[in-house]
Amino acid sequence: MFLIKAVFVLLRFILSTGQATMMGHNRHTHHSLLTDKAALLAFKSTIKFYPNCTIAGWGDDVDVCSFRGVRCDKHHHRVAQLFLPDCGLTGPFSPFLANLTGLRVLKLFNNHFSGVIPPEFSHLRHLLCLQLDENNLEGPIPESFALLSKLRTLTLSENSLTEALPPSFFRNCTSLGNLDLSLNFFTGKIPQEIGNSPHLWSLNLYNNQFVGQLPASLVNTSMYNLDVGTNNLSGELPSDILGKLSLLKYLQLSYNNMISHDNNSNLEPFFTALENCTSLAELQLVSMGLGGRLPSSISQLNITNMLLQENQITGSIPPSIANLSYLMTLNLTSNHLNGKISSTIGRLSKLEQLFLSHNLFSGETPAVLGQLPHLGLLDLSYNNFSGPIPESLGNLVRLNYLFLNNNLLSGSIPRTLGQCIDLYKLDLSYNRLTGRLPPEISGIHAIRIFLNLSHNHLEGPLPIEFSKLENVQEIDLSSNKFTGNIFTQISSCIALTLLNLSHNALEGKLPDSLGDLKNLVSLDVSENYLSGMIPTGLSKMYTLTFINLSFNQFEGRIPSGGIFDSVTNMSFLGNPGLCGAVPEMPICSQKRHWFHSHMYLIIFISVICVSALLTAICCKFKFDLIKILISAKSETIRRQKTPELKQNFPRITYRELSKATREFDEQMLIGTGSYGRVYKGILSDGRAIAVKSPEERRMWHVAIGELIELGILCTQESPSTRPTMLDAADDLDRLKRYLSGDTFSSFLGIYSSTLGDD
């Protein structure tokens, strides 16, 4: 019985002890979560702006483990993760987060936190991952970070952090695997202690101000990605170090002050060392001024991307490069490479981008390039390639960019290029190409960046098929021998921002449809034979910021508005027929020519027609009156009793009088006086007569002069100086009365007598 009671007492004690322990543990857990919640709310209070994250939902009445971006551990004992990237959080970087002592992951990248990294963060002893990239942090990495011994990932890129890296951090944080301090302003040497992290697989220190050489201790790491580009590192290429990094896949040493072996003349040791990096896929040694030749040992690499541009590499490309069967990108731009390109390059079946520009290559463009089925970019510009463009390039149906400019290429543009239907950019400028543009080029509808065929010897008319290039942004056909007109369908190139047709032999007028190019920024048609007036539609193109119409045969008034309100006379040189309000250009005459206005032309023609009609009526009236006067005068003479007037004179028409006096020839003139002029006349029957003629012609000259003056007044530009239609009608009526009035009776008098043979 005693034993049974003892057992019950023991069990009760154990149970009571366990309950007390559990209650104490719950109180401790509750206290920890309250502490974490208080820390997060204090952190929230320091944030001035949070546009993309609803941390407004954080509050006293909400479970801390339900806060957005917050994750507690599986037992809900502590806040384990704070994940608020890309939220636009703005404010000082709060030290309150250091109270989250159970935190393992802190990701606040791509925000706008400012200030220094708080030294109190050293309290986060369980922290495994800290990512504060893309903020506005400044100052150094705190020395106290050495206490974060469990840290595996530290990324602080794209801030404004400064000073040297603390060696103690690398001495104690031996668990580091990923370190990214790029795009800051760190100085000093890369600490040798960095090699104390055997698991370090990625080191990004690019775009800083580090000096010295790479630390030899890197051989103790598991380096997979090494990027120290754009610093001030010096010394020979680290062949000894790199040869021992057998896991290395990405190597970036660009934009440093390193040199090749043997005083910057030997690349062989470096590429030989890389043979041990059997996983190496990318090598970047850009703009380092490295000298030497490409060794044949380069063929031992399994590399996919090799960027060696902007160095001093000499010699030719070794034929063994064809063994780089995985090569996708080869960039040798801006070196001193020369000679011919080996035909073995056609065996690089996976090549997608080939950059060989700004070298000294010569010979013909290798036709084997047309055998590279995946080639999307081919840049052979700025070399000495000669001969024709290979027709085989038309086989590159995946080609997006083709640059053959600034060479010595000749012959015509092959029609096969029209098969490269995915071309974005085509540049054949600065060569010696001849012949006409193949219309097949217009079939490359994908050209949406630029088409540059300038500075060649191309000829013939501009193919109207070019109007199909509705996505092209720039067309430069300058400095060729193109003739004919600029086709009006150019307005179909709706994406065009630059059009340069200068230095050709184009003629005709600028099409008005140019004004429909709503995206045009630059227009140059200088040095052609274009004529006519400048289209006024160009003044309504508010995107246009450059225009050059110089050395053509344009005439008339320069439009106003838009680009024409800001240009200088340099845009119109060599066009003597132009005038306008542009500085140093002739000012247009204020007296506008009649025929420059359709309204004035209509009024002028109407006045002339009315005048002609009235003149015809007056002439008819005049001749009828003359006949009446002649008849009346003859009747009067017959009734007189004087012997010398007894003859019966026939009625004589004005035409007979004109013929009798030889159209009032001066040799037939007998005399003049206040009564007019008297002419001797011989009728068709031989009778002699005397004809009196007053100054009729002068009156008609006066009348016609007044009609012309009235027509000119009707074409005046200002309405205040033009006569009204009522005024014009009054003037015409007055002229009619003047020409058909009593003065007609004195225009012609006939006095005949027998003049004998005199």
Side-chain angles (χ1 to χ4, degrees), residues 259-420:
I259 60 174
S260 62
H261 292 71
D262 299 332
N263 197 25
N264 205 33
S265 63
N266 188 3
L267 289 170
E268 180 78 34
F270 175 75
F271 281 99
T272 300
L274 292 182
E275 292 179 17
N276 295 327
C277 304
T278 55
S279 299
L280 189 64
E282 183 170 307
L283 173 64
Q284 296 191 34
L285 304 176
V286 178
S287 192
M288 299 177 68
L290 299 174
R293 302 170 64 94
L294 289 177
S296 58
S297 59
I298 197 174
S299 62
Q300 302 301 314
L301 304 178
N302 294 319
I303 200 164
T304 57
N305 298 294
M306 184 160 59
L307 282 66
L308 304 177
Q309 65 265 33
E310 299 174 28
N311 285 291
Q312 299 177 24
I313 302 174
T314 58
S316 59
I317 299 177
S320 61
I321 199 171
N323 295 329
L324 298 177
S325 56
Y326 297 101
L327 193 64
M328 298 171 62
T329 300
L330 176 61
N331 195 332
L332 296 171
T333 295
S334 298
N335 279 285
H336 301 312
L337 295 166
N338 53 44
K340 297 182 179 180
I341 297 178
S342 172
S343 60
T344 60
I345 201 170
R347 289 159 48 188
L348 298 175
S349 59
K350 294 188 178 181
L351 196 64
E352 296 179 358
Q353 296 183 329
L354 178 59
F355 301 86
L356 299 178
S357 66
H358 292 84
N359 279 287
L360 303 171
F361 291 115
S362 58
E364 292 191 354
T365 306
V368 294
L369 293 175
Q371 302 175 9
L372 303 176
H374 300 287
L375 199 63
L377 184 148
L378 177 59
D379 188 355
L380 305 181
S381 61
Y382 293 92
N383 279 286
N384 295 317
F385 289 111
S386 58
I389 298 174
E391 293 190 0
S392 61
L393 296 187
N395 298 328
L396 303 176
V397 293
R398 297 188 180 183
L399 200 62
N400 298 134
Y401 305 93
L402 177 59
F403 305 103
L404 302 178
N405 51 290
N406 294 83
N407 279 286
L408 305 173
L409 300 175
S410 58
S412 59
I413 299 175
R415 296 177 177 269
T416 56
L417 286 185
Q419 300 169 191
C420 303

Side-chain angles (χ1 to χ4, degrees), residues 451-462:
L451 171 66
N452 192 343
L453 306 178
S454 66
H455 294 85
N456 280 287
H457 305 298
L458 300 171
E459 58 188 17
L462 301 178

Side-chain angles (χ1 to χ4, degrees), residues 487-509:
F487 48 84
T488 59
Q489 294 86 346
I490 190 70
S491 59
S492 298
C493 302
I494 56 177
L496 206 59
T497 62
L498 180 148
L499 178 60
N500 191 345
L501 302 176
S502 64
H503 294 83
N504 279 288
L506 300 173
E507 56 188 9
K509 297 181 178 181

Side-chain angles (χ1 to χ4, degrees), residues 409-481:
L409 300 175
S410 58
S412 59
I413 299 175
R415 296 177 177 269
T416 56
L417 286 185
Q419 300 169 191
C420 303
I421 58 174
D422 288 331
L423 269 178
Y424 299 159
K425 295 182 180 181
L426 175 61
D427 194 342
L428 307 179
S429 62
Y430 289 92
N431 279 290
R432 301 173 180 176
L433 300 174
T434 57
R436 297 194 172 198
L437 284 179
E440 287 80 2
I441 297 296
S442 64
I444 311 176
H445 301 303
I447 294 183
R448 54 176 173 264
I449 309 297
F450 65 74
L451 171 66
N452 192 343
L453 306 178
S454 66
H455 294 85
N456 280 287
H457 305 298
L458 300 171
E459 58 188 17
L462 301 178
I464 194 171
E465 290 84 1
F466 270 35
S467 61
K468 300 177 182 178
L469 301 176
E470 58 184 19
N471 296 317
V472 68
Q473 297 179 23
E474 299 181 9
I475 294 180
D476 190 347
L477 305 179
S478 62
S479 298
N480 279 285
K481 299 178 180 179

Side-chain angles (χ1 to χ4, degrees), residues 200-203 221-227 242 244-253 274 276-284 301-306 326 328:
L200 187 63
W201 63 272
S202 179
L203 178 61
T221 66
S222 304
M223 198 61 62
Y224 178 85
N225 169 61
L226 176 60
D227 190 343
L242 299 175
K244 298 176 182 178
L245 299 178
S246 59
L247 301 177
L248 194 63
K249 188 170 185 177
Y250 302 101
L251 176 60
Q252 227 288 30
L253 304 178
L274 292 182
N276 295 327
C277 304
T278 55
S279 299
L280 189 64
E282 183 170 307
L283 173 64
Q284 296 191 34
L301 304 178
N302 294 319
I303 200 164
T304 57
N305 298 294
M306 184 160 59
Y326 297 101
M328 298 171 62

Side-chain angles (χ1 to χ4, degrees), residues 70-91:
V70 173
R71 293 181 183 177
C72 298
D73 61 23
K74 62 181 180 179
H75 300 295
H76 299 281
H77 295 163
R78 298 300 304 271
V79 171
Q81 296 185 27
L82 179 58
F83 188 75
L84 295 173
D86 307 304
C87 291
L89 301 177
T90 304

